[in-house]
Amino acid sequence: MAADSDPESEVFEITDFTTASEWERFISRVEEVLNDWKLIGSNFGKPPEKGEYTSRTWDEKSRDINFADFRFSITHHYLKQECVESEGREDVEEDAFPLAMQDLLCMNNDFPPRAHCLVRWYGVREFVVISPGANCEAIISESKCNLLLSSVSIALANTGCQVPVFVQIQQKWRKMYSGECQGPGVRTNFEMVHLRKVPSQYNHLSGLLDVFKGKIGCPLSPLPPINIAIRFTYILQDWQQYTWPQQPPDFDGLLAGEVGGVEFGKLPFGPCEDPISHLLSFLSELHLATTWPHLTEGIVVDNDVYSDLDPLQAPHWSVRVRKADNPQCLLGDFLMEFFKLCSQKESTEEILGRNSVEEEGKEAMFAYCSPPQKNSDITQALSKLTEPAAVPIPKLSVSNMVHSARKRIRRHRRLDQSPLSNDMLNSILLNLFNLLKSAPSHSLTFRLALCMCLVNFYHGGVRAVAHLWQEFVLEMRYRWENNCLVYGLAAGPPDLRCCLLHQKLQMLNCCIEHKRARDSGSGRDRKEAASENGILSPTSTGAGPTLSETPLGKPWDSWSDSEDEFFECLSDTEEIKDVPADRAKGGAKEVGRAKPEGRLQPHGKLTLLNTDEPLYVPVTQEPAPMTEDVLEEQSEVLAKLGTSAEGAHLRARMQSACLLSDMESFKAANPGCSLEDFVRWYSPRDYVEEEVTDDTGQTVVHSDLSARMKIPGNMWVEAWETAKATPARRQKRLFDDTKEAERVLHYLAVQKPADLVRHLLPCVLHAAMLKVKEEEASEDIHSVRKALQQVISQASKLLRHPSPDCRKLEDIINQIMALEAIVARARSLKAKFGVVKGDKGEDSEDLEKFVSSLLEEPEVAVTGAGRGPAGTIIHKLFGSAQRAALLAPLEEEAGRAGGPENRKPMGGGGVPDFPPPAGREILLRTCVPRPAPYSRALPQRLYCVLMREDFRLAGAFSSDTSFF
């Protein structure tokens, strides 16, 4: 009893044989995926239209499933079609064939040029493929293959799915598939055979017909007719009678400007060799497909002895060209080689060598230089500009220093250290600073970018780029010192829409313009200043002109007296010293009268509020121009001041420098004026005038400042109280051209070649796009025109960023290279097919349309087959290639044996016009009852591929599962 009451004695093990196995779980997962994709139940649809497999889009969706620890990928491929209306469902019979079986017999889309291989072999528009996952071994074992096919069969039966499901077996490169499709009472098995060599008994149509008849095993006699579709593909690899129309670049005479050559300021375009040639492997082959779409067994004969399949008699011809993946073109090579310089980290000094620029000796100054010293830099010589010297000022010239430094560079640099010769360097600089080419589309920066790109490709790479840049910076220094404007740049302040380097050059030009205006007006400054103090020049016969009588075109910046400048100017002290003694005694009275200065012109009919004097517009200073990097620095400084009251006040003071200068100029031009007068001229909206009625009932105009001008602590009021009556010519300059010019020149001097390339790359890309657009315009290729617009849009967005992503820039270059390749292919094809621009003949229009379609479509039908204009040219191309390949040795032997009179005429009878077909495709279709005579007639299909080292049979054999 004690033992029976023990609870452990009641525990026993139960084996549950209903637990799902791994195989059953795999089948369940397949069924789940088919349900999720809504592939269960019957499917219906109308037959596909002709060419629909090529014109429409194919889509796919995938999911991973596991069989135990082995991963599979299940993919659904389908053709995107218009949704079938629900009304069509009522017309579908319950026992109708699945769509896949209907597609087996459809003849509208035989041999599609662009589709999945299963679509070409079986003609189905929708199917599912189960293949081993990535990094998984192939399914080679026969038992595993049968297990997968059994799983597919069970899943299709359980779900009622009528979409065919294929399983990929054997190695992936063999493209072996086996599958099944089930319908109501019918089943189609998809089988395949793949061999390396073509068996001799199956190397023709009659042998393949025997295989097909034996497989379907139809018991009927006579056998229903078998529909036959045949396609032979011929490959043309040699273009003997046509030469590539583009001339190669002239590498020896780069600056000669010959046709087809490369000259500075122009980018090359196109390949050096024929882009449709077996030598270049760029667009290497032309494939001609001759098709017999509808044949029957008794119409055509093709056996091991005789064949009726003559390509010239084929009713349908189609052509496609084989394109290389990485075409080599001149423009693409230029862009890519220039882009690679972005990864260079060396500076110009490191590339050209430390001894490329020597320091000038101090003893002999600039006329007689001491021996060079190593480890020197041109900046040390240029720094003498601001050092005190005992020599006269005119001899301290940057141009003299630069000229001497250039002489010493060329004297001490060895020949192998100079990437660019003096003649070539002079030619480049002449092109850069040529006034005749200073159009906006050919600015200096634009031409500099092209020259850098060409020099990098042809004349030594990065060393040549560094050498040219060094000389360019010296030229900029020379032009600044000698007041020579930099041509090829738009006048005015820097254009912030352009690249930063272009803005820097525009800023340098602004500095040169201000300096030239100041130097040209310095003589007039002395004369007018003396006239104001009553001093007449020796040639004067009357009173000197006052400031109000000064011509309006006189520049304001010619009156500057900044201590940072290297020119003589008149100060207030000097003017007082120059005043005679009899005039000096009455000076106090003249100051009390506050003589107006710096008047430009009256401001309409306005008068001062406190007096009846006219209100004059003063001569003011212009705001200082700035480049985008300086604007960004200024914004960062202002942002760091914070949001406190003190920070806001300081920020307002920093931003009111121009306002204060204008107030001082206004006070000098309008003695006795008030803030209200200044606001009336400077900001009229802040001076409000209202009509009011006074105590007597009369309407009067009441004027006052706006509300924002009355805010306590207003910056305008504070600036007005601080401002002194000082004309613009005596104010501290808002724009210090000397300081800004030295800043620009220093910026240019410290640029590394990689930094320079990043600055110039937008210009190079712009030039490349213009070149593609120019070349496309002569060819009129719609696809290139459309793609170029997309490239321009992407590049414009990318280049707005100050530091664009290098990967995205490389992608832009690759797209430009692809467009260049398309244009090159178009030119080559037009040359070979005899398309002449401007010819209005009917055949010319057909040929031009044919060539354009050949570039944009995967396969193009030849109108008229071998008898049309394009077909005639293709026939000649193949015939010439055949004669060149087969009879060239015979011609050489005949030439050695005797003269032309001893040679035999070579007619077309001895040499076939076409080579043996590179590939033969034969498609057999019929509809017979299977497996029994009383079974339903079901579609049967066999696709055959016969190539030199490939033999494939892909069969789809249907059987009746209800009546067998």
Side-chain angles (χ1 to χ4, degrees), residues 61-72:
K61 48 188 174 183
S62 300
R63 187 176 298 182
D64 291 337
I65 57 176
N66 291 334
F67 192 137
D69 57 348
F70 193 91
R71 186 161 56 90
F72 287 92

Side-chain angles (χ1 to χ4, degrees), residues 41 144 153 279 309 312 424 550 608 631 671 739 754 771 811 847 858 892 945 949:
K144 292 182 179 179
S153 181
L279 297 176
L309 301 176
L312 289 177
M424 180 168 295
T550 304
L608 300 180
L631 285 172
K739 178 180 178 182
K771 187 67 176 179
D811 181 63
L847 287 175
E892 293 178 0
V945 180
E949 295 183 355

Side-chain angles (χ1 to χ4, degrees), residues 107 111 211 281 382 405 412 505 524 677-678 772 801 824 842 939:
M107 302 180 185
F111 315 111
V211 173
S281 185
L382 298 178
H412 294 282
L505 296 178
R524 293 195 305 270
D677 294 321
F678 177 77
V772 173
H801 196 275
E842 183 178 355

Side-chain angles (χ1 to χ4, degrees), residues 326-611:
N326 298 314
Q328 297 296 320
C329 293
L330 291 175
L331 179 61
D333 290 345
F334 271 64
L335 295 180
M336 194 56 66
E337 290 297 326
F338 192 66
F339 175 73
K340 290 179 181 178
L341 296 184
C342 293
S343 59
Q344 296 284 342
K345 297 183 180 180
E346 296 84 3
S347 63
T348 303
E349 185 181 62
E350 294 172 345
I351 293 173
L352 296 179
R354 294 279 182 177
N355 58 347
S356 62
V357 182
E358 287 83 21
E359 182 183 6
E360 299 297 333
K362 294 183 179 180
E363 294 81 2
M365 292 305 292
F366 310 109
Y368 301 95
C369 299
S370 62
Q373 300 178 5
K374 295 183 178 181
N375 299 327
S376 62
D377 190 86
I378 191 66
T379 55
Q380 298 179 5
L382 298 178
S383 65
K384 295 180 180 179
L385 180 66
T386 56
E387 294 180 0
V391 295
I393 291 296
K395 294 185 179 180
L396 282 175
S397 171
V398 174
S399 61
N400 291 335
M401 288 187 288
V402 171
H403 182 69
S404 179
R406 282 177 173 172
K407 287 184 177 180
R408 302 193 66 82
I409 290 171
R410 293 161 183 163
R411 181 164 57 245
H412 294 282
R413 182 186 289 153
R414 298 193 304 271
L415 293 177
D416 58 348
Q417 292 178 334
S418 299
L420 302 177
S421 64
N422 292 337
D423 295 338
M424 180 168 295
L425 188 61
N426 292 335
S427 300
I428 296 175
L429 295 177
L430 179 63
N431 175 267
L432 290 178
F433 301 102
N434 189 353
L435 178 61
L436 299 177
K437 295 185 178 180
S438 59
S441 59
H442 298 83
S443 65
L444 173 64
T445 313
F446 195 87
R447 297 199 303 274
L448 175 64
L450 299 185
C451 288
M452 286 292 181
C453 188
L454 295 169
V455 163
N456 170 68
F457 194 84
Y458 285 122
H459 299 286
V462 66
R463 294 187 72 249
V465 170
H467 185 193
L468 178 57
W469 178 244
Q470 184 186 69
E471 294 290 338
F472 181 84
V473 175
L474 291 177
E475 179 69 25
M476 292 296 101
R477 172 71 71 174
Y478 174 83
R479 287 178 175 270
W480 158 247
E481 172 63 22
N482 291 272
N483 294 345
C484 298
L485 285 174
V486 181
Y487 295 109
L489 299 174
D495 190 352
L496 301 182
R497 297 172 297 179
C498 301
C499 64
L500 182 59
L501 183 61
H502 188 78
Q503 297 178 37
K504 292 292 183 182
L505 296 178
Q506 283 185 306
M507 175 63 76
L508 182 62
N509 235 14
C510 290
C511 298
I512 295 174
E513 289 178 354
H514 282 73
K515 185 180 178 183
R516 291 178 66 178
R518 184 177 64 250
D519 292 349
S520 62
S522 59
R524 293 195 305 270
D525 297 346
R526 287 178 177 272
K527 181 178 178 181
E528 293 179 5
S531 300
E532 290 178 3
N533 290 279
I535 301 177
L536 301 178
S537 63
T539 59
S540 300
T541 57
T546 62
L547 184 62
S548 60
E549 298 171 352
T550 304
L552 297 180
K554 180 176 177 297
W556 59 266
D557 48 1
S558 63
W559 299 95
S560 176
D561 60 350
S562 174
E563 297 179 356
D564 297 335
E565 300 305 318
F566 301 95
F567 57 85
E568 298 183 41
C569 60
L570 296 175
S571 63
D572 295 340
T573 306
E574 291 174 345
E575 292 177 2
I576 293 176
K577 288 181 181 179
D578 294 338
V579 177
D582 56 347
R583 293 287 307 274
K585 295 179 181 179
K589 296 180 181 179
E590 292 184 11
V591 173
R593 287 197 297 270
K595 185 177 180 180
E597 296 180 275
R599 287 180 172 179
L600 182 62
Q601 61 186 15
H603 186 55
K605 298 181 180 181
L606 292 181
T607 58
L608 300 180
L609 296 178
N610 298 333
T611 64

Side-chain angles (χ1 to χ4, degrees), residues 888-900:
L890 299 178
E891 291 180 356
E892 293 178 0
E893 293 178 0
R896 288 193 295 267

